[in-house]
Amino acid sequence: MTSPGGHRTEAAPALEALLPALVGWLPQQRWFAAKDRTVDAVRLVGHSEVTSADAVPAVTHAVISVGFTDDGPEETFQLLLGSRPEMPGDLDHSVIGTAAGRTVYDGLADGEITRLLLSLIVSDTTVGPLRFVPEPETEAPIVGPGRPLLGEQSNSSVIYGERAILKLFRRATPGLNPDLELHRALGREHSVEVAPLLGAIEGELPDGEGGSTPMTVAMLQDYASNSADGWSMALTSVRDLLAEGDLRPDEVGGDFAGEATRLGRTVGSVHQELARALGTARLDAAGVRGVADWMLARLELSAQAVPEVAERREAITAVLEGVTAADGLVVHRIHGDLHLGQELRTPRGWLVIDFEGEPSRSLADRVRPDSPLRDVAAMLRSFDYAAFHQLAEWEPGAESPSYLKRRAQEWADRNRSAFCDGYAEITGADPRADLAVLRAYELDKAVYEVLYETRNRPNWLAIPLRSMERLIDRS
Amino acid sequence: MNEGIGTGTAGAPDTSTTGTVTAPREPPTPEGVVEPSSRDFRSARELPVDDGWYKRAVFYEVLVRAFADSNRDGFGDLPGLTDKLDYLAWLGVDCLWLPPFYDSPLRDGGYDIRDYRKVLGEFGTVEDFVEFVDQAHARGMRVITDLVMNHTSDQHQWFQESRRDPDGPYGDFYVWSDDDTRWSEARIIFVDTESSNWTYDSVRGQFYWHRFFSHQPDLNFDNPAVCEAMIDALRFWLDLGIDGFRLDAVPYLYERDGTNGENLPETHSFLRRVRKVVDDEYPGRVLLAEANQWPADVVEYFGDAEVGGDECHMAFHFPLMPRIFMAVRRESRFPISEILAQTPEIPENAQWGIFLRNHDELTLEMVTDDERDYMYAEYAKDPRMKANIGIRRRLAPLLDNDRNQLELFTALLLSLPGSPVLYYGDEIGMGDNIWLGDRDGVRSPMQWTPDRNAGFSTCDPGRLNLPIVMDPVYGYQAVNVEAQSNSSASLLHWNRRMIEIRKQHTAFGLGDFHELGGSNSSVLAYVREFVDEEGTRDVVLCVNNMSRFPQPVELDLIAWKGWVPTELTGGVPFPPIGELPYLLTLPGHGFYWFSIHASQERS
């Protein structure tokens, strides 16, 4: 296929006309990650045509930069825009504005466009700077129109006939997206713990100085159509327990420990596969010192914003220093943002999803090898959250009866322990064997959560605060 | 036409019985034992041949011994059962399944057959059986019976001859050996009572092979005469008019070195031979395999999918049942989703038989050790509730007599892929008696009325074969057919209504099964869809809440965009399906059945 257009960074008159409309449209999108800031202006960073400009529908890939009234840093996003001279009625909800006499809309809503995207991947096509690549040695899905997955948070996905899912990364970040990178690596290991990668769309991110760096536009994966996430399943179990009162977690029908053990096995397997695929290293004392310093820096950020953390700075520091207790630390690529919501239960077992890492960290931070105990600690934190979230939701603000708190703690303890059992069964390494290190990672995460909840969800603040105190007391 | 019997009863459907009765044939009886011929008896009227009836049918397992006693001897019998056929027809049952009613010393509930061509004395005679089948057919109901091919009672004449005369015509009818070391890879099934699969016989001075109890020697199917004799036993009953067999313990027919003696190729080849006899000589009759194995192994018993299946027409789906219990206790659909995802496609003409409870214990062979411990802890709190590797309880007590759960379980049974098999008494929520030995706790007499002996028998109560359940919750004065018949809100009426609804939609019996998923793991939602030869689509949506708490669920029904779901018990149309996920809310342990149809087609 010949390229109908290379990457253009010069002003595109048609798209320039659309930019004012984007100022109003962006904050209405679920994936728009800066809802707490007021959009000031939208700037076109670059664009390339996927079809000719007069095609019906025409498709354009655009990278935009968003400025805010707070004069803080700009955010960069990518869009797949469709345009038509006349709109079929069922696309009305996706309209953004008009430009050059055509209506411009969110292209992912248009079945003809999503069909085109899939066919370009399946046929291994390059269009200008955009490379549509199928994953080698995978069975291509049948090309057809896709439909948008609703209810998603930070990215936008399209489902193809319950077989495949195309995820458009909304934030435009330079470099290979770790989600794509790690799925590729795990695919080479024939992992059954992740949804197999089927292909990707890769592009170029203009650097504003006439050059560009590679970026990941989208990735195509197997779609686990019949699945439920671990977070909602865990909450089901907690609800079942709290409704009893007189029964303990191992006595109620909704016991989650079996699933927690299977989850532990799944995460353990993913770690082994990541280690095999991308190698391991051993941090020496200086390297471990670096990890500790990184944690202490994060503590400082939190302490500045949250008095409860500042008051406990010394005690927290003592626990975080525990990471240096080990005379070295084996590190490899990890998931980086593991929690119950990143795990899907399917009829064939658990899948781990979303290997992008903690969204607030830089790419360099996210791809840095780290101890697998960071992921384990994050899961243990997630069990705590699940146990106490239900109490917080029930009567926001009210103090729960102490026996319910006790039940919730028992649930967390039982499932944390079951998770570690499953993990140890697969890896041969019980995470609880390095208790000081594990606790340091867990407290690091809790301190970060305290900051996050203070800023975003004050109702939930009690959950990480409580854990923070427990982790300090136990050490 | 068999004049003189089977004149039918008032209100019975007009079954266009043909006058043709397959000519009974001379049994090629081996010399030494004289066996009766079907020619010695009349045959029941036949129902019209209807290929595939078993895929749409609602089955009902009834124990002759426990249903109705006509002669005041304390045992239920065939004439008693015949008297109750109107009730079963009213309930909506399509096919009755009778566990063994053959002559037997009854050391294994009749599965120890002493004579394949004789009815157990307490139950009546072969003539009574023919009359029963005839009357069932007159009401449009079919009858299948258990046949145990793997073994006989040690009191069977064949065995007596075999041990007495090793060189006689029956000398090679059983599996004899000079020592007890062969085939040690074969597991012992009744671990509670048996220590070996070999038992020494002092008469013959050899060991004989038995996969079940030591009083049930295995027949030697490597002997062609055994195969012939077994097929002739089948012909005997088919000639008399029955509609098929449930083949008991079918995986164990052959033994081979270095194997566990289950599912061997020789077993399948014999089943193909039996199937050919049925297809050629008795079209429309069915074979139902009892093979307590994983679905991936059981599908082998349907035979070659290329020809639509050439072994058994049906097989029980064993692992599904404990998974239903587990899913509800866990408030998660995944125990069910998992086992259905592991269930392979079956041949065109094959069908699963599914059940919640039957005369055996709630079998836990097909779950992991962890899951079994869990099931014991949840459903068998008293050690007496356990038997072998299972739980001996009836449905209602297993569910604490919770009407919501009873309805949810039954709705699952009637809507999951397969033909449902009801167990007698569960339609009124009968209880069990865990103080009775072995599996008798779930085999107590049917509770018909609040009168003496629950209306089961007019004998002296002390003469009853098994005592009537008398506890305050499940006793016959609280739970009986008469009282529930008179209350339209009863479980009995509810069950009848659900069976009726099931029959109005071919999708339940013949449709594809497609699980919908959904983000709420407590909700199991699936679509059954059948497209008939004219292209008419029958689409049924079933949504089940496994949790005791109310739940919302968003379902992806985009494939039926613009169509309208109509709830099946009340006929209320729900909002049409649009672009967005379809939101439903369910009460605790609630379920919905919807018919989905294009809106202009609304009837």
Side-chain angles (χ1 to χ4, degrees):
Chain A
M1 186 168 179
T2 55
S3 158
H7 209 127
R8 301 184 206 158
T9 50
E10 75 274 20
L15 283 181
E16 290 293 346
L18 189 71
L19 297 180
L22 285 173
V23 172
W25 183 78
L26 284 170
Q28 296 170 25
Q29 306 310 306
R30 275 188 87 141
W31 48 261
F32 187 67
K35 289 202 183 63
D36 52 336
R37 303 169 73 189
T38 307
V39 177
D40 181 34
V42 177
R43 187 166 58 79
L44 187 65
V45 176
H47 74 283
S48 65
E49 311 296 338
V50 179
T51 64
S52 65
D54 53 1
V56 179
V59 186
T60 304
H61 174 248
V63 179
I64 53 168
S65 189
V66 181
F68 299 91
T69 55
D70 58 15
D71 289 334
E74 295 194 341
E75 302 256 17
T76 312
F77 296 97
Q78 52 179 338
L79 308 172
L80 266 172
L81 301 171
S83 74
R84 289 168 179 265
E86 280 165 40
M87 291 293 282
D90 60 350
L91 288 176
D92 282 349
H93 65 282
S94 63
V95 169
I96 300 170
T98 53
R102 293 167 74 105
T103 307
V104 184
Y105 56 96
D106 185 353
L108 294 185
D110 186 339
E112 286 187 52
I113 293 177
T114 51
R115 177 205 294 271
L116 172 69
L117 296 174
L118 182 58
S119 73
L120 290 173
I121 294 174
V122 168
S123 58
D124 196 356
T125 310
T126 297
V127 186
L130 295 175
R131 295 183 308 284
F132 297 83
V133 287
E135 191 65 13
E137 291 167 42
T138 58
E139 194 190 331
I142 296 162
V143 172
R147 60 184 175 79
L149 178 72
L150 300 164
E152 219 185 346
Q153 302 270 333
S154 50
N155 294 307
S156 298
S157 296
V158 172
I159 313 294
Y160 293 98
E162 303 204 346
R163 165 76 213 302
I165 178 167
L166 179 73
K167 175 157 75 174
L168 175 73
F169 296 104
R170 285 296 182 174
R171 271 177 197 273
T173 46
L176 181 59
N177 190 305
D179 205 7
L180 178 60
E181 180 198 6
L182 296 188
H183 270 98
R184 262 189 194 143
L186 290 166
R188 287 196 298 273
E189 295 294 321
H190 306 288
S191 171
V192 295
E193 289 83 19
V194 296
L197 185 68
L198 300 174
I201 308 175
E202 298 183 84
E204 300 287 326
L205 183 64
D207 57 14
E209 292 159 16
S212 64
T213 49
M215 68 176 266
T216 306
V217 176
M219 65 186 247
L220 183 72
Q221 277 179 284
D222 251 25
Y223 179 56
S225 62
N226 182 4
S227 64
D229 70 86
W231 174 250
S232 57
M233 289 185 68
L235 291 192
T236 301
S237 168
V238 175
R239 266 197 300 271
D240 187 54
L241 171 68
L242 296 183
E244 289 299 340
D246 59 333
L247 294 180
R248 309 184 68 125
D250 58 333
E251 296 170 326
V252 293
D255 183 18
F256 193 70
E259 297 290 3
T261 302
R262 285 188 277 276
L263 262 174
R265 291 186 198 129
T266 301
V267 171
S269 299
V270 168
H271 279 165
Q272 288 190 318
E273 288 154 4
L274 285 171
R276 267 204 307 274
L278 299 166
T280 61
R282 190 174 181 84
L283 293 186
D284 57 10
V288 177
R289 186 66 248 161
V291 173
D293 287 345
W294 188 89
M295 290 180 178
L296 294 175
R298 202 148 93 145
L299 167 63
E300 204 44 46
L301 272 180
S302 197
Q304 281 165 16
V306 189
E308 287 95 334
V309 175
E311 284 165 22
R312 302 290 266 153
R313 188 187 268 122
E314 277 173 35
I316 296 171
T317 303
V319 178
L320 295 183
E321 287 289 346
V323 77
T324 60
D327 58 350
L329 211 50
V330 173
V331 295
H332 54 71
R333 291 295 298 278
I334 61 169
H335 182 281
D337 187 27
L338 206 55
H339 54 80
L340 282 160
Q342 306 277 40
E343 285 144 348
L344 296 183
R345 179 70 157 92
T346 77
R348 297 185 197 287
W350 287 93
L351 295 179
V352 180
I353 58 168
D354 281 349
F355 285 74
E356 277 198 90
E358 244 175 61
S360 62
R361 298 174 69 180
S362 71
L363 182 66
D365 266 351
R366 287 189 276 151
V367 300
R368 184 176 301 132
D370 203 336
S371 165
L373 289 177
R374 181 182 290 284
D375 278 349
V376 172
M379 278 304 296
L380 300 184
R381 291 295 314 125
S382 195
F383 283 114
D384 252 19
Y385 255 76
F388 288 96
H389 166 268
Q390 187 67 28
L391 289 180
E393 287 291 282
W394 228 335
E395 283 182 74
E399 184 71 8
S400 306
S402 61
Y403 78 93
L404 284 185
K405 284 189 190 164
R406 218 161 39 240
R407 288 288 171 263
Q409 189 60 54
E410 284 167 3
W411 187 95
D413 292 345
R414 175 169 172 78
N415 288 290
R416 287 159 57 102
S417 162
F419 177 86
C420 289
D421 290 346
Y423 188 89
E425 196 183 301
I426 291 294
T427 62
D430 192 324
R432 291 159 294 195
D434 295 316
L435 207 52
V437 179
L438 181 63
R439 200 161 277 164
Y441 273 112
E442 216 188 320
L443 184 56
D444 169 61
K445 180 85 179 171
V447 166
Y448 165 76
E449 288 162 355
V450 168
L451 177 64
Y452 181 87
E453 303 300 8
T454 302
R455 286 183 178 161
N456 298 293
R457 301 181 297 198
N459 272 349
W460 292 26
L461 177 59
I463 301 174
L465 271 182
R466 190 172 187 280
S467 308
M468 191 178 88
E469 291 301 330
R470 279 172 56 88
L471 285 161
I472 294 169
D473 288 348
R474 281 200 194 166
S475 304
Chain B
M1 180 73 87
N2 301 283
E3 302 298 335
I5 62 165
T7 51
T9 53
D14 177 24
T15 52
S16 47
T17 53
T18 66
T20 57
V21 173
T22 313
R25 60 193 51 67
E26 199 67 46
T29 317
E31 12 171 344
V33 180
V34 179
E35 300 192 89
S37 156
S38 55
R39 274 191 187 169
D40 306 339
F41 305 96
R42 289 173 299 187
S43 297
R45 78 183 76 187
E46 295 189 351
L47 281 173
V49 173
D50 173 8
D51 292 327
W53 63 267
Y54 51 91
K55 295 172 80 172
R56 301 181 303 271
V58 173
F59 289 73
Y60 184 96
E61 182 188 2
V62 55
L63 305 190
V64 176
R65 175 195 316 279
F67 213 58
D69 172 16
S70 71
N71 61 358
R72 310 184 64 193
D73 67 353
F75 276 87
D77 46 45
L78 287 163
L81 175 56
T82 307
D83 283 345
K84 298 296 185 183
L85 285 171
D86 282 336
Y87 164 75
L88 295 169
W90 172 84
L91 183 59
V93 169
D94 298 300
C95 181
L96 299 171
W97 156 32
L98 271 60
F101 50 81
Y102 313 98
D103 180 39
S104 162
L106 297 181
R107 296 183 64 190
D108 181 24
Y111 287 88
D112 47 336
I113 297 172
R114 183 161 52 199
D115 185 339
Y116 283 103
R117 302 181 188 217
K118 197 173 163 195
V119 169
L120 184 70
E122 292 96 340
F123 289 177
T125 61
V126 172
E127 285 84 354
D128 290 334
F129 180 77
V130 172
E131 169 70 6
F132 157 69
V133 174
D134 187 69
Q135 289 298 326
H137 284 180
R139 290 159 179 80
M141 281 187 285
R142 297 176 194 269
V143 176
I144 65 170
T145 76
D146 263 12
L147 195 87
V148 188
M149 301 201 296
N150 182 65
H151 51 258
T152 67
S153 161
D154 59 3
Q155 296 182 26
H156 197 289
Q157 263 189 292
W158 295 346
F159 186 71
Q160 293 304 322
E161 287 296 313
S162 193
R163 67 199 297 207
R164 187 182 61 77
D165 181 4
D167 300 318
Y170 298 94
D172 202 21
F173 255 50
Y174 294 84
V175 183
W176 295 99
S177 173
D178 289 332
D179 64 54
D180 60 356
T181 57
R182 231 176 150 189
W183 305 317
S184 56
E185 299 91 340
R187 72 194 167 105
I188 295 164
I189 293 166
F190 286 152
V191 288
D192 288 2
T193 52
E194 301 300 321
S195 54
S196 166
N197 286 327
W198 289 105
T199 292
Y200 184 72
D201 178 57
S202 56
V203 175
R204 177 152 160 164
Q206 279 186 303
F207 292 91
Y208 61 89
W209 177 252
H210 56 87
R211 286 310 301 272
F212 294 86
F213 292 115
S214 58
H215 57 77
Q216 291 166 331
D218 276 27
L219 286 162
N220 175 21
F221 280 85
D222 280 319
N223 176 356
V226 168
C227 298
E228 284 306 322
M230 190 52 62
I231 288 174
D232 282 333
L234 293 163
R235 283 194 179 111
F236 175 82
W237 295 102
L238 289 165
D239 285 338
L240 296 181
I242 63 155
D243 299 284
F245 293 101
R246 170 187 175 274
L247 301 176
D248 189 69
V250 85
Y252 311 99
L253 300 188
Y254 287 81
E255 303 77 31
R256 288 294 178 266
D257 290 335
T259 73
N260 64 2
E262 299 179 21
N263 314 321
L264 296 176
E266 292 83 356
T267 298
H268 288 290
S269 120
F270 178 68
L271 286 172
R272 277 193 293 278
R273 200 172 146 206
V274 173
R275 172 67 175 263
K276 189 155 176 6
V277 168
V278 170
D279 284 351
D280 290 351
E281 302 172 29
Y282 307 96
R285 321 285 181 95
V286 302
L287 301 172
L288 163 58
E290 187 229 17
N292 193 350
Q293 317 261 343
W294 291 104
D297 297 321
V298 175
V299 286
E300 300 293 319
Y301 288 94
F302 294 127
D304 186 0
E306 293 286 309
V307 297
D310 59 0
E311 294 184 31
C312 292
H313 303 77
M314 292 182 70
F316 281 119
H317 196 307
F318 277 93
L320 176 62
M321 173 263 306
R323 296 299 186 114
I324 293 175
F325 285 87
M326 200 179 292
V328 173
R329 273 294 203 259
R330 288 262 191 255
E331 306 199 358
S332 163
R333 69 171 181 264
F334 284 104
I336 296 174
S337 305
E338 272 176 356
I339 200 67
L340 291 175
Q342 290 166 26
T343 300
E345 292 283 313
I346 58 176
E348 174 72 25
N349 298 323
Q351 175 73 311
W352 291 111
I354 60 176
F355 56 95
L356 295 171
R357 294 297 306 109
N358 63 26
H359 63 279
D360 280 332
E361 64 270 23
L362 194 158
T363 319
L364 297 180
E365 283 176 83
M366 294 297 119
V367 297
T368 65
D369 288 349
D370 277 359
E371 291 168 343
R372 188 176 307 130
D373 291 346
Y374 173 79
M375 289 290 285
Y376 278 150
E378 288 296 322
Y379 289 103
K381 295 187 170 72
D382 186 311
R384 294 192 63 95
M385 295 170 179
K386 298 177 196 171
N388 287 316
I389 304 174
I391 298 172
R392 43 177 164 217
R393 312 221 54 199
R394 267 187 177 274
L395 184 63
L398 273 168
L399 302 179
D400 282 336
N401 211 25
D402 175 354
R403 176 74 180 263
N404 290 336
Q405 286 190 68
L406 283 166
E407 292 187 2
L408 172 66
F409 273 69
T410 307
L412 288 165
L413 176 70
L414 293 177
S415 63
L416 284 168
S419 291
V421 183
L422 310 172
Y423 184 54
Y424 88 95
D426 281 349
E427 73 271 24
I428 54 171
M430 264 173 60
D432 46 38
N433 183 346
I434 59 168
W435 304 102
L436 297 176
D438 191 34
R439 289 164 277 188
D440 282 343
V442 298
R443 300 173 180 183
S444 59
M446 181 71 177
Q447 294 167 197
W448 295 101
T449 70
D451 304 333
R452 174 166 54 118
N453 299 334
F456 161 75
S457 171
T458 54
C459 72
D460 183 339
R463 239 189 123 173
L464 286 178
N465 162 49
L466 285 176
I468 308 276
V469 174
M470 302 225 259
D471 75 54
V473 176
Y474 303 105
Y476 67 99
Q477 286 172 324
V479 176
N480 62 70
V481 171
E482 183 181 285
Q484 294 199 18
S485 300
N486 294 334
S487 161
S488 61
S490 65
L491 184 64
L492 176 61
H493 273 278
W494 183 88
N495 276 307
R496 176 175 183 254
R497 175 81 184 118
M498 295 308 283
I499 292 170
E500 192 181 3
I501 293 168
R502 181 189 151 92
K503 289 184 176 180
Q504 289 161 0
H505 289 273
T506 44
F508 285 116
L510 304 179
D512 292 338
F513 171 86
H514 173 65
E515 200 185 327
L516 288 172
S519 56
N520 188 333
S521 58
S522 293
V523 176
L524 174 71
Y526 44 88
V527 166
R528 306 293 315 273
E529 175 163 5
F530 178 68
V531 184
D532 69 15
E533 283 161 5
E534 279 119 50
T536 310
R537 291 168 76 182
D538 183 27
V539 185
V540 173
L541 164 66
C542 305
V543 190
N544 305 279
N545 180 8
M546 302 290 142
S547 165
R548 55 192 165 140
F549 305 119
Q551 299 282 340
V553 67
E554 290 189 336
L555 296 174
D556 177 359
L557 299 179
I558 194 76
W560 296 277
K561 191 176 136 188
W563 289 35
V564 176
T566 299
E567 199 279 330
L568 284 179
T569 64
V572 175
F574 271 51
I577 297 161
E579 193 77 48
L580 298 173
Y582 199 80
L583 174 69
L584 287 169
T585 53
L586 297 113
H589 291 142
F591 75 93
Y592 295 127
W593 285 359
F594 295 105
S595 164
I596 312 184
H597 37 69
S599 50
Q600 64 272 21
E601 283 177 17
R602 290 251 331 267
S603 49

